[in-house]
Amino acid sequence: MNGDPGDRREIPEIKLPNLDPAVLQRALAVLAVVVVAVTSFYTVGPEENGLVLRFGKFERVTDPGLHFKLPFGVERVMKVPIQRQLKEEFGFRTVRSGVRSQFSTSPYADEANILTGDLNAALVEWVVQYRVIDPYKYLFRVRNVGDTFRDINEAVMREIVGDRTVNEVLTVGRAEVAMVVQQRVQELCDQYDTGIQVEQVVLQDVNPPDPVKPSFNEVNEAQQEKAKLINQAQSEYNQIIPRARGEALQTVREAEGYALERINRARGDSARFVALYQAYAKAPEVTRRRLYLETMNDILPGVERKVVVDGDLKSVLPLLDLGAARGGEAR
Amino acid sequence: MKIGSIILAVLVLVILSSSVYVVKETEQVIITQFGKPVGDPVVTPGLKFKLPMVQTAHRFDKRFLEWDGDPNQLPTRDKRFIWVNTYARWRISDPLLYFQRLRDERGAQTRLDDILDGETRNAIANYDLVEVVRTSNREPEQGDLVAEEQVTLDPIAAGREKIRLEILHNAQQRTTDLGIEILDVQFKRINYVDEVQRKVYERMIAERRRIADRFRSEGQGEAMRIRGEKDRDLLEIQSEAYRQAEELKGDADATATEIYAAAYGRNAATQDFYGFLKTLESYPEVFDGKSTLVLSTDGDFYRYLTDVDGK
C-alpha cells in the first residue's frame, strides 16, 4: 500500500536576523513561491494512478504524467500501481529471484499443509497473480488489503482442497483446483470490496508431506518394477516364439519335401517296373533266367566260402564246421 | 498594542484550529460535547466544523477491519483434536453504539475474540471432522487408479460452508448491539494436532505400501501370465508343426503305396515278377565276403555242374 502522501513540504530556512529587512522580505517571497511550486505539482508514474484527496476527501483520479493540485497540503496525492501485476506466494517464498531463483519452503510448511477430503494431508504451494483494478476501493474500503488478500487465499485453497481427495490434488485435479480457487478468491475479493482482480492462480509443487514422501516414491518404483517385469517376460516371449514359428515351418516344409520325394520315387519305381515288366512279358522264361544268372554272376565272386553239394546228398550239415566260418552265416 | 495583537492572532488560530477538523476517506467521526454525543455521526469525508473547545471529535475506522483469531486446539464431535484458525472481516456499523459499548478497537477485538472463538468452538464440537474439511458431496475424480485404490467418500450432512455460515450467523446476532457488523468468517487453517498428524502419516504410508505391493504383485502375475502364454504357444506351435508334418508324410506314404500297388499288383504275373525281381535285387546286399554259401546242385545255378541237361 502506498500510504505516503505525494507531496513534500520544504522546511523554510531561518535566515540570520542581522540582514536588511528588505532582503529578508524578498527572500521570504521567493521561498513562498518555491513552496507553492513544489507542493502544487506532482507526477504519476506510467504504471500508476494518482488519487487526489482534498482535506481527506477523495476528489479525482489522475493518469500518468505531470499534474497540478492545490498547494500547502490542501490536496494530497496517493499513488496506486494499477498496471503492475502483483504476486503473492503461499507455502514458499522466492528468496532471490533471477534466472535461477532460490526458494525457501521450510518455514512456510504450515501455510502449505492442507487437509484433503479423505482426511489425508498434502503440501500445496501456490502463487496468485493479481492487479488493482479499483484504486479507490483498494485504498479506502479495506484496512490491510495485503493481509486480507492472503487470508482469503489460504481459506479458499483449504476449502477447495478439502473437498478433493489427496490423489486428485496430487495428480488429476491440479488444474481444476487452480481454476476453482481463482473463481472463489475473486468472489471473496469482490465481497470484501478490495478492488483486486485475480489474474491467475498457479499451483506450484503439490507434494505429500515429507514423512510420507518415501512411500509415495515407493509406489512409483513399484509401478516401474511392474512395467519392468512385464517387459522382461514379453521380451522372453519375443525371443522364443518367432523362432519356434520358424522352426515349425521348417519341419512342415521338410515333411512336404519328404512327401514329394516319396511319391516321386514311387512313381519312378513303378514306371520302371512297368517298363521292365512289359519287356519281360514278351519272353518271360528267358528274361527270368537271364536276370537270375546275372545276379548270381554278380554276387558269387564276392562270396569267399562256397560249398556246393550234390542234390542227392541228404544232409551236408554234419560235415561243415560252421564255427570256423568266422561267425559267418550259413545259407 | 503590538503584544496585544499577537495574543489576539494566537487566540484566533487556536480557536480556528479546534473548530476545524478533517475527516479522511477511511474515517467516520462522532462529536461529543463534554462527553455527551451530539448529532449524527459524520460519515462523509472532507473539512468539517465543530464548536471549539467544548466539542471533541472521535475518529473511527470506516473500512472493513480484520480480525485474526489465534489458532485454537479444538475437539470435533468424533473426538479428534484439530487446530482451527479462523479470520473474520468486520466493520463499525454504528459508531455511536460502538463508542458507547466498546470505546475503541482494542475493546472490540477482545469482544470479537470472545464471540468468534466461542462460536467456532461450539460449531466444531457439533460436527465430525470430515464435515469441517469437506464442503460438498462431489464425486472425486479417480484418474487412472485401478478399482481397488479408488476412494469413495462417506457422504457429509452439513459441510464446511454450512458450518461457517452457522458461525457467522450466530456471531452476527451477538454483535448487533455492539455497533459491529461481521461481514464474513472463514476457516483459514484447519490441521491435525501433531500427535494425530503422525498417525495420519502412518496411515497414509500404510496405504501407499498397500498400493505399491499391489503394483508389484500385479507385475509378477502379469509376467507369469506372459511366460505361461509363451510355453503354451511354444508347445502349440511345435505340436502343430509335428501334426502337419506327420500328416503330410502319411499322405505321401499312402499315395506311394497306392502307386506301388497299382504297378506291382496289376495281375498275378506282375506280382510274381515283382517278387522275383525284388529278391534278386536284395541278393547283393545280403551276401558279402564273409558269407558262406551252401549250394545244392539241384539249384538252378549249379544244376549244370552235375548234369548237362540240368535234370
Side-chain angles (χ1 to χ4, degrees):
Chain A
M1 290 181 79
N2 189 4
D4 178 34
D7 57 347
R8 288 177 206 86
R9 269 171 293 177
E10 295 256 315
I11 298 155
E13 247 179 78
I14 294 159
K15 300 277 178 182
L16 291 172
N18 59 357
L19 279 175
D20 184 351
V23 174
L24 191 70
Q25 240 172 5
R26 215 171 300 152
L28 278 173
V30 168
L31 200 70
V33 169
V34 167
V35 168
V36 167
V38 165
T39 60
S40 321
F41 292 99
Y42 64 97
T43 54
V44 178
E47 80 280 14
E48 294 171 330
N49 262 6
L51 277 76
V52 180
L53 306 172
R54 183 183 301 157
F55 292 121
K57 185 178 186 307
F58 169 72
E59 279 295 317
R60 59 186 184 275
V61 180
T62 53
D63 289 333
L66 187 67
H67 296 280
F68 172 79
K69 66 180 173 65
L70 296 179
F72 302 120
V74 171
E75 284 189 340
R76 292 163 187 242
V77 176
M78 295 174 89
K79 295 172 190 166
V80 181
I82 57 155
Q83 297 294 346
R84 198 177 298 155
Q85 191 175 58
L86 306 166
K87 187 174 98 166
E88 287 288 337
E89 297 168 330
F90 297 88
F92 72 102
R93 297 290 183 275
T94 307
V95 180
R96 214 174 60 205
S97 61
V99 180
R100 290 184 61 183
S101 299
Q102 293 186 333
F103 302 104
S104 165
T105 53
S106 47
Y108 308 104
D110 273 355
E111 217 168 71
N113 196 341
I114 299 181
L115 278 187
T116 58
D118 46 357
L119 299 186
N120 289 320
L123 292 176
V124 183
E125 293 171 9
W126 75 101
V127 168
V128 180
Q129 289 160 356
Y130 65 99
R131 262 182 348 117
V132 178
I133 52 160
D134 188 333
Y136 176 79
K137 283 183 181 173
Y138 184 77
L139 285 181
F140 302 124
R141 300 291 288 165
V142 183
R143 189 169 71 185
N144 276 337
V145 187
D147 287 350
T148 302
F149 189 62
R150 287 196 71 84
D151 285 351
I152 290 173
N153 269 288
E154 284 205 38
V156 168
M157 186 55 84
R158 276 168 179 75
E159 178 189 321
I160 302 305
V161 169
D163 219 20
R164 276 146 186 81
T165 63
V166 69
N167 182 59
E168 275 182 282
V169 178
L170 290 177
T171 57
V172 286
R174 281 179 58 117
E176 193 242 348
V177 167
M179 209 183 66
V180 179
V181 167
Q182 182 177 341
Q183 284 169 8
R184 189 87 179 94
V185 168
Q186 185 65 61
E187 277 171 34
L188 283 180
C189 283
D190 295 346
Q191 191 192 332
Y192 295 178
D193 266 354
T194 53
I196 285 175
Q197 176 167 304
V198 183
E199 307 258 274
Q200 203 180 8
V201 174
V202 184
L203 285 197
Q204 307 281 10
D205 285 352
V206 181
N207 285 318
D210 283 340
V212 186
K213 238 183 210 165
S215 63
F216 269 82
N217 289 339
E218 203 182 313
V219 171
N220 286 341
E221 278 162 25
Q223 232 163 344
Q224 312 254 322
E225 199 181 311
K226 174 182 168 181
K228 196 181 105 192
L229 285 172
I230 292 172
N231 283 341
Q232 274 177 352
Q234 198 71 53
S235 95
E236 252 174 66
Y237 183 97
N238 290 344
Q239 270 172 20
I240 288 174
I241 295 302
R243 186 191 151 91
R245 287 223 171 82
E247 282 173 358
L249 222 54
Q250 186 190 4
T251 308
V252 173
R253 291 278 173 278
E254 279 173 5
E256 282 170 359
Y258 167 86
L260 285 172
E261 188 203 17
R262 188 93 169 86
I263 291 166
N264 284 337
R265 273 178 183 277
R267 292 222 174 93
D269 285 350
S270 60
R272 182 180 161 208
F273 174 80
V274 168
L276 201 57
Y277 174 75
Q278 278 163 356
Y280 162 83
K282 287 172 189 163
E285 270 307 303
V286 168
T287 309
R288 198 176 173 92
R289 188 159 300 269
R290 181 179 60 81
L291 286 171
Y292 172 72
L293 291 176
E294 271 174 16
T295 305
M296 292 314 268
N297 205 18
D298 279 348
I299 59 166
L300 282 177
V303 177
E304 208 169 88
R305 296 183 65 193
K306 291 177 279 278
V307 181
V308 182
V309 290
D310 194 301
D312 298 336
L313 202 62
K314 286 307 164 207
S315 174
V316 74
L317 288 176
L319 299 174
L320 285 172
D321 178 9
L322 291 172
R326 286 175 292 186
E329 277 177 82
R331 294 268 164 169
Chain B
M1 179 63 196
K2 203 176 183 185
I3 286 175
S5 70
I6 288 176
I7 287 171
L8 193 75
V10 166
L11 207 68
V12 165
L13 250 172
V14 166
I15 288 168
L16 211 72
S17 74
S18 79
S19 65
V20 170
Y21 65 98
V22 164
V23 179
K24 292 189 204 159
E25 276 290 339
T26 58
E27 284 175 341
Q28 48 192 342
V29 167
I30 57 169
I31 303 295
T32 56
Q33 190 168 317
F34 301 119
K36 181 174 168 287
V38 284
D40 287 336
V42 182
V43 293
T44 52
L47 198 63
K48 310 284 170 181
F49 300 94
K50 64 179 175 65
L51 294 181
M53 318 297 228
V54 293
Q55 290 189 337
T56 320
H58 301 269
R59 296 157 189 280
F60 301 99
D61 216 306
K62 207 168 68 176
R63 296 175 289 187
F64 291 159
L65 304 175
E66 67 274 18
W67 173 84
D68 197 354
D70 286 331
N72 281 319
Q73 195 176 324
L74 305 176
T76 59
R77 193 175 63 179
D78 47 349
K79 302 283 176 296
R80 302 216 218 187
F81 277 87
I82 50 171
W83 288 107
V84 178
N85 188 355
T86 49
Y87 80 81
R89 288 293 172 269
W90 59 282
R91 65 190 187 90
I92 300 160
S93 55
D94 186 339
L96 190 58
L97 205 57
Y98 177 85
F99 179 58
Q100 288 166 339
R101 296 276 197 278
L102 301 165
R103 196 94 214 154
D104 56 12
E105 203 187 314
R106 246 202 11 230
Q109 292 283 4
T110 315
R111 283 308 301 274
L112 283 171
D113 284 347
D114 297 346
I115 292 169
L116 288 167
D117 281 345
E119 291 301 336
T120 307
R121 185 179 295 274
N122 289 347
I124 297 287
N126 269 333
Y127 292 101
D128 289 350
L129 172 60
V130 68
E131 303 273 346
V132 186
V133 173
R134 279 168 54 202
T135 310
S136 68
N137 280 317
R138 66 183 280 283
E139 199 64 37
E141 270 183 64
Q142 304 288 7
D144 52 358
L145 291 180
V146 292
E148 279 156 58
E149 281 174 53
Q150 294 193 348
V151 190
T152 45
L153 301 172
D154 298 329
I156 51 167
R160 180 188 176 114
E161 184 70 6
K162 208 181 146 213
I163 298 169
R164 185 179 77 74
L165 292 175
E166 193 179 300
I167 297 171
L168 176 63
H169 181 71
N170 291 344
Q172 272 171 340
Q173 287 194 326
R174 288 177 61 183
T175 54
T176 43
D177 62 340
L178 299 173
I180 286 176
E181 185 193 358
I182 299 177
L183 290 140
D184 198 22
V185 179
Q186 295 276 352
F187 296 114
K188 194 161 89 173
R189 292 179 190 173
I190 294 172
N191 251 326
Y192 293 115
V193 299
D194 289 353
E195 202 179 308
V196 184
Q197 187 99 307
R198 265 199 301 282
K199 283 192 189 134
V200 170
Y201 288 167
E202 278 165 25
R203 196 198 69 217
M204 286 177 83
I205 290 169
E207 210 173 87
R208 291 293 122 184
R209 292 254 160 84
R210 193 166 54 74
I211 295 171
D213 288 345
R214 237 196 99 76
F215 276 131
R216 281 198 204 93
S217 87
E218 266 176 7
Q220 285 158 356
E222 185 68 8
M224 282 175 192
R225 186 188 67 73
I226 293 170
R227 289 217 177 81
E229 209 161 83
K230 180 200 76 189
D231 290 346
R232 192 195 72 100
D233 287 359
L234 187 61
L235 290 175
E236 186 192 334
I237 290 163
Q238 287 174 340
S239 62
E240 175 69 21
Y242 177 79
R243 183 182 63 75
Q244 280 185 23
E246 292 307 302
E247 275 174 12
L248 283 166
K249 286 182 193 167
D251 286 350
D253 285 345
T255 313
T257 305
E258 274 168 28
I259 292 167
Y260 282 128
Y264 301 156
R266 199 180 295 166
N267 51 45
T270 53
Q271 282 170 18
D272 174 61
F273 181 58
Y274 173 71
F276 171 68
L277 215 58
K278 202 69 194 171
T279 312
L280 285 187
E281 265 173 30
S282 67
Y283 280 175
E285 286 162 39
V286 172
F287 298 109
D288 62 2
K290 296 167 204 154
S291 311
T292 300
L293 260 178
V294 179
L295 296 161
S296 168
T297 51
D298 284 349
D300 269 340
F301 192 73
Y302 282 106
R303 64 181 170 169
Y304 297 109
L305 206 63
T306 50
D307 183 2
V308 74
D309 289 328
K311 298 285 167 176

